[in-house]
Amino acid sequence: MAKQNVAEQFVDILVRAGVKRLYGVVGDSLNPVVDAIRRTKAIDWIQVRHEETAAFAAGAEAQITGSLAACAGSCGPGNLHLINGLYDAHRSMAPVLALASHIPSSEIGLGYFQETHPDQLFRECSHYSELISSPKQMPRLVQTAIQHAVGRSGVSVVSLPGDVASEPAPEKAAETALVTSRPSVRPGDTEIDKLAAMIDEADRVTLFCGSGTAGAHAEVMAFAEKIKSPVGHALRGKEWIQYDNPYDVGMSGLLGYGAAYEATHECDLLILLGTDFPYNAFLPHDVKIAQVDVRPENLGRRSKLDLAVWGDVRETLRCLTPRVSPKSNRKFLDKMLKKHADALEGVVKAYTRKVEKHIPIHPEYVASVLDDLAADDAVFTVDTGMCNVWAARYLSPNGKRRIIGSFSHGSMANALPQAIGAQFVDRKRQVVSMSGDGGFSMLMGDFLTLVQYDLPVKVVLFNNSSLGMVELEMLVAGLPSYGTTNHNPDFAAVARAAGAYGVRVEKPKQLAGALKDAFAHKGPALVDIVTDPNALSIPPKISSEMVTGFALSASKIVLDGGVGRMVQLARSNLRNVPRP
């Protein structure tokens, strides 16, 4: 049996860790690893057109599966292109291992062609970033990198010089056990008892939920029922907590709607469950706050806490719920449910008048029709910008759908690359990229990746020929819009030229049929929808503090934002509210 080289041993470790694919672009220093993959049936090389796409795709795969995913870049410029997608994966808590191949080891530090120092460059966007300098070091170092990525839910980066990758691997290298899943974290009894006492003392309790409630829907609902608490959520908590929720009062924050803001400010005790909600201007300053989070570094960094509880949400609630006294008074809960329904009723009217005749097409109408026609288990990947608004307000989670975006990092051009990673996980599952024309055109080259692999991703392009969110930011600052207009081609024609299905929609009556045809198409498809550039959105509560760093405006051209089927959910929840 031929002796393994380091690259082959590296690939074997990836396989043992459960990695199915390595996304990247081939090149010199990376060639030994790519060749090892070519000869290994258990793992595939996924050729993309830009390494940033590779990192975004790996991050999306990790978010869909909950397991380790991987990407790679060649030395210097190749692996530098990974950095934006890795920042996003890291901030999204997606376990990703990145291979940054490196210049010849004998030339490091001598200003060699394409020299960078990847082990230093990636430290800010990873839990672990180290250089492999000898074959003997590789197995243990890669094992450590994997355990950092999986155990701490984020990125690890391994820098591997091409010459080291080609060297013979040490004989009888130990096949050490790999950590491939995370444990549950239970708080101590002291913290649980303190939180139970705070809840028993409070008359009005509100729960505000983030992505840390994933897998804890039943526990949150049981807890809310016992203490008669309204339940609000942040954007990343939407897919986990909004569905089948009779206590739902909407979303707070810059894309918010409903009564979540009021519920968090009018309570006696606010409990933050699994959220690192970044906009502290939307959090109250005069109520007691307790926070539950599996990451201790998140506790108290957004608001002053009265109690910090280190643990994951599901295990914490399993311990906590039996210890709290049941509350019978629904007055606060019913008041918030009524406010929520009233708020949604008011904003719906803005988008129910002649929307089916409005040209250019209302993007809200597009999002609403998309929500109706998409599959019950669809994966939506959402571009940063106005697409975030339409996804937040119109997509209806149901426990089976997934909604993925650059919600913590806020990068442009994320939706198409993330759709690639999501579709590779399951070719039979519907994957919809909600792309803006600005984001799509930034990494448009990887539309060719869909065609090359015949990935059936459906790109729904909200084409307003502008950077809409940036225009709104300029309005807030009192500036005229400048440099925000895009001179776009017929994107549907571009898609057809690339070998995919493409259709352009300019009239509302064409929309439903175009989406149905695209969804029925077996391969990649793009629906280029010309939308109204003046359709912008504002949150339900605005203060001068909230303006900084985001888009808020009270201009006459800004509408109050629709909310799709959420008003139906609110009406349904109101059925249980006693009438005067």
Side-chain angles (χ1 to χ4, degrees), residues 511-558:
L511 178 63
L515 288 175
K516 289 178 182 178
D517 290 344
F519 289 161
H521 183 70
K522 292 183 179 180
L526 183 145
V527 184
D528 181 7
I529 306 167
V530 180
T531 59
D532 187 352
N534 290 328
L536 305 176
S537 181
I538 57 174
K541 294 291 180 181
I542 305 172
S543 71
S544 58
E545 289 179 292
M546 299 173 188
V547 172
T548 303
F550 210 87
L552 304 175
S553 178
S555 165
K556 290 182 179 180
I557 69 168
V558 178

Side-chain angles (χ1 to χ4, degrees), residues 97 152 311 368:
L97 178 69
R152 299 182 65 182
S368 179

Side-chain angles (χ1 to χ4, degrees), residues 362-364 366-367 370 387 390 433-438 460-466 527-531:
H362 274 311
E364 301 87 350
V366 177
L370 174 61
C387 284
W390 316 139
S433 172
M434 290 180 64
S435 298
D437 58 290
V460 178
L461 187 58
F462 289 70
N463 182 2
N464 62 3
S465 296
S466 71
V527 184
D528 181 7
I529 306 167
V530 180
T531 59

Side-chain angles (χ1 to χ4, degrees), residues 413-426:
N414 62 285
L416 173 63
Q418 289 176 328
I420 291 170
Q423 193 72 83
F424 266 115
V425 172
D426 185 353

